Amino acid sequence: CKGASYRYAFSATPTGVTKARDWSLEGYTGPILDRTITTPELVERGLSTKTTVKLVKYTDAEPPHEDLEDWDTCRRKYIDQNQARNQAIRVLVERETSQGKRVCIFVSLVERHGKLLAKVLKDLHPSALYGSASNDMRIASLEEFKGQPGQVLITTLLKEGINLPEMDILILAGGGKSDVATIQQGGRVVRTSPGKVQATIYDFIDSDSRVTFNHTLERYEAYKSEGYPVELLDLTQEGL
């Protein structure tokens, strides 16, 4: 757009990734001129699907006052390799696919979590889509997911602009605290598709450690800031 009189930039997450990115974006496009449009406004205009966030309680553990472990250790023990948490994911997948819903599971790490969940869900025949996949493999995985109701996809790619409006259910299994990443990932399931009237985001109350619990609180605030209705789903009452 060299020589253009006007340049317009649109983004669901224009700021907040890094300060350097914020400054570069403003340098290229100028300051933000309009207010943020909330998720409920987009739903009302028919531009997004009505979406509910369900925070899943899968343990009765109370968060300790402080942690002696670093984030990577906490993530391995209390997110990726947490048997109760992964079993909760299986319960959710079984429940939703039995109703013909297409379920996408976002993970942060391939070897430590994505492949482990694939084993937990083996009899439900999940497909996988990771950054190392060739373009042909990506196309094949996405077409398989879109093709039939009740499909399951495990992926690390929701932060990279993947367009999958057929998704009914998003399970955010990766944890973490980034409000920008939470909003970006959640935005993948709100996209409209013929016959799609309701979408659901499942996230988890990770109370086994103070670090992961604080991250849960930050994601909760991100959902509320976007205007999502947030509900509690207590799987501990169902004998998990």
Side-chain angles (χ1 to χ4, degrees):
C1 55
K2 185 177 180 181
S5 299
Y6 300 96
R7 294 186 179 92
Y8 296 95
F10 302 91
S11 174
T13 51
T15 60
V17 177
T18 65
K19 284 293 185 184
R21 178 184 178 276
D22 294 350
W23 293 333
S24 296
L25 187 61
E26 187 165 331
Y28 283 118
T29 65
I32 297 174
L33 299 178
D34 201 5
R35 64 182 178 84
T36 299
I37 299 175
T38 65
T39 298
E41 287 179 282
L42 293 173
V43 171
E44 186 176 344
R45 297 182 189 185
L47 300 174
S48 290
T49 304
K50 183 179 179 181
T51 303
T52 300
V53 174
K54 295 187 179 183
L55 288 181
V56 181
K57 181 180 179 183
Y58 59 90
T59 175
D60 288 321
E62 292 291 332
H65 292 295
E66 61 179 339
D67 282 310
L68 301 177
E69 300 164 315
D70 59 28
W71 161 233
D72 188 64
T73 301
C74 286
R75 179 165 60 180
R76 175 177 54 79
K77 291 174 63 175
Y78 305 124
I79 303 292
D80 303 334
Q81 298 177 13
N82 187 328
Q83 186 173 353
R85 194 178 192 272
N86 289 335
Q87 184 58 34
I89 292 171
R90 179 182 173 86
V91 168
L92 298 174
V93 173
E94 288 181 323
R95 183 175 298 177
E96 296 293 354
T97 56
S98 69
Q99 300 178 46
K101 303 296 185 181
R102 293 179 176 88
V103 179
C104 182
I105 305 170
F106 174 78
V107 296
S108 297
L109 300 173
V110 176
E111 296 293 335
R112 206 161 73 183
H113 202 195
K115 292 186 177 181
L116 177 59
L117 279 177
K119 293 178 181 178
V120 172
L121 301 170
K122 183 177 180 180
D123 58 312
L124 298 175
H125 310 293
S127 53
L129 183 58
Y130 304 130
S132 58
S134 67
N135 190 54
D136 287 344
M137 290 177 65
R138 293 188 185 202
I139 292 172
S141 294
L142 293 177
E143 289 305 313
E144 180 181 358
F145 184 81
K146 297 174 184 179
Q148 296 291 333
Q151 295 293 309
V152 183
L153 176 67
I154 303 171
T155 185
T156 57
L157 299 182
L158 291 190
K159 293 181 288 188
E160 299 179 16
I162 187 172
N163 185 34
L164 204 56
E166 294 83 1
M167 184 195 317
D168 300 298
I169 308 296
L170 174 59
I171 299 177
L172 291 179
K177 66 177 182 178
S178 170
D179 56 343
V180 172
T182 299
I183 292 168
Q184 286 178 334
Q185 293 157 18
R188 305 300 174 232
V189 77
V190 305
R191 296 178 181 181
T192 58
S193 181
K196 180 179 173 182
V197 297
Q198 175 71 48
T200 302
I201 299 170
Y202 287 106
D203 204 332
F204 300 88
I205 301 174
D206 298 314
S207 60
D208 285 305
S209 81
R210 174 56 58 181
V211 170
T212 57
F213 186 67
N214 287 343
H215 289 181
T216 298
L217 295 179
E218 295 198 38
R219 297 196 303 274
Y220 170 79
E221 291 299 330
Y223 295 130
K224 296 298 287 186
S225 73
E226 281 295 292
Y228 289 114
V230 181
E231 301 176 359
L232 172 67
L233 176 60
D234 189 352
L235 291 184
T236 66
Q237 299 299 313
E238 301 181 23
L240 179 65

PDB file of all heavy atoms in Angstrom, residues 37 62 70 143 188:
ATOM      1  N   ILE A  37     -14.291  -3.971  20.194  1.00  0.00           N
ATOM      2  CA  ILE A  37     -15.623  -4.554  20.057  1.00  0.00           C
ATOM      3  C   ILE A  37     -15.648  -5.850  20.848  1.00  0.00           C
ATOM      4  O   ILE A  37     -14.796  -6.716  20.662  1.00  0.00           O
ATOM      5  CB  ILE A  37     -15.961  -4.817  18.573  1.00  0.00           C
ATOM      6  CG1 ILE A  37     -15.949  -3.505  17.793  1.00  0.00           C
ATOM      7  CG2 ILE A  37     -17.314  -5.498  18.445  1.00  0.00           C
ATOM      8  CD1 ILE A  37     -16.143  -3.674  16.304  1.00  0.00           C
ATOM      9  N   GLU A  62      -6.258 -27.948  47.260  1.00  0.00           N
ATOM     10  CA  GLU A  62      -6.184 -26.524  47.555  1.00  0.00           C
ATOM     11  C   GLU A  62      -4.806 -26.015  47.164  1.00  0.00           C
ATOM     12  O   GLU A  62      -3.794 -26.653  47.486  1.00  0.00           O
ATOM     13  CB  GLU A  62      -6.433 -26.267  49.035  1.00  0.00           C
ATOM     14  CG  GLU A  62      -7.849 -26.565  49.494  1.00  0.00           C
ATOM     15  CD  GLU A  62      -8.856 -25.580  48.928  1.00  0.00           C
ATOM     16  OE1 GLU A  62      -8.449 -24.423  48.661  1.00  0.00           O
ATOM     17  OE2 GLU A  62     -10.026 -25.959  48.747  1.00  0.00           O
ATOM     18  N   ASP A  70       9.883 -24.548  39.591  1.00  0.00           N
ATOM     19  CA  ASP A  70       9.785 -23.574  38.509  1.00  0.00           C
ATOM     20  C   ASP A  70       8.618 -23.907  37.595  1.00  0.00           C
ATOM     21  O   ASP A  70       7.984 -24.955  37.722  1.00  0.00           O
ATOM     22  CB  ASP A  70      11.105 -23.500  37.725  1.00  0.00           C
ATOM     23  CG  ASP A  70      11.498 -24.849  37.108  1.00  0.00           C
ATOM     24  OD1 ASP A  70      10.614 -25.667  36.802  1.00  0.00           O
ATOM     25  OD2 ASP A  70      12.712 -25.077  36.929  1.00  0.00           O
ATOM     26  N   GLU A 143      -9.236 -31.480   6.618  1.00  0.00           N
ATOM     27  CA  GLU A 143     -10.362 -32.007   5.846  1.00  0.00           C
ATOM     28  C   GLU A 143     -11.029 -33.171   6.569  1.00  0.00           C
ATOM     29  O   GLU A 143     -12.254 -33.319   6.540  1.00  0.00           O
ATOM     30  CB  GLU A 143      -9.885 -32.454   4.457  1.00  0.00           C
ATOM     31  CG  GLU A 143      -9.510 -31.294   3.545  1.00  0.00           C
ATOM     32  CD  GLU A 143     -10.630 -30.290   3.382  1.00  0.00           C
ATOM     33  OE1 GLU A 143     -11.782 -30.715   3.129  1.00  0.00           O
ATOM     34  OE2 GLU A 143     -10.368 -29.078   3.528  1.00  0.00           O
ATOM     35  N   ARG A 188     -10.832 -18.893  17.949  1.00  0.00           N
ATOM     36  CA  ARG A 188     -10.938 -19.885  16.870  1.00  0.00           C
ATOM     37  C   ARG A 188     -12.287 -20.602  16.877  1.00  0.00           C
ATOM     38  O   ARG A 188     -12.761 -21.029  15.830  1.00  0.00           O
ATOM     39  CB  ARG A 188      -9.817 -20.921  16.986  1.00  0.00           C
ATOM     40  CG  ARG A 188      -8.416 -20.353  17.019  1.00  0.00           C
ATOM     41  CD  ARG A 188      -8.072 -19.557  15.773  1.00  0.00           C
ATOM     42  NE  ARG A 188      -6.775 -18.924  15.903  1.00  0.00           N
ATOM     43  CZ  ARG A 188      -6.546 -17.630  15.703  1.00  0.00           C
ATOM     44  NH1 ARG A 188      -7.547 -16.841  15.383  1.00  0.00           N
ATOM     45  NH2 ARG A 188      -5.339 -17.131  15.832  1.00  0.00           N
TER      46      ARG A 188
END
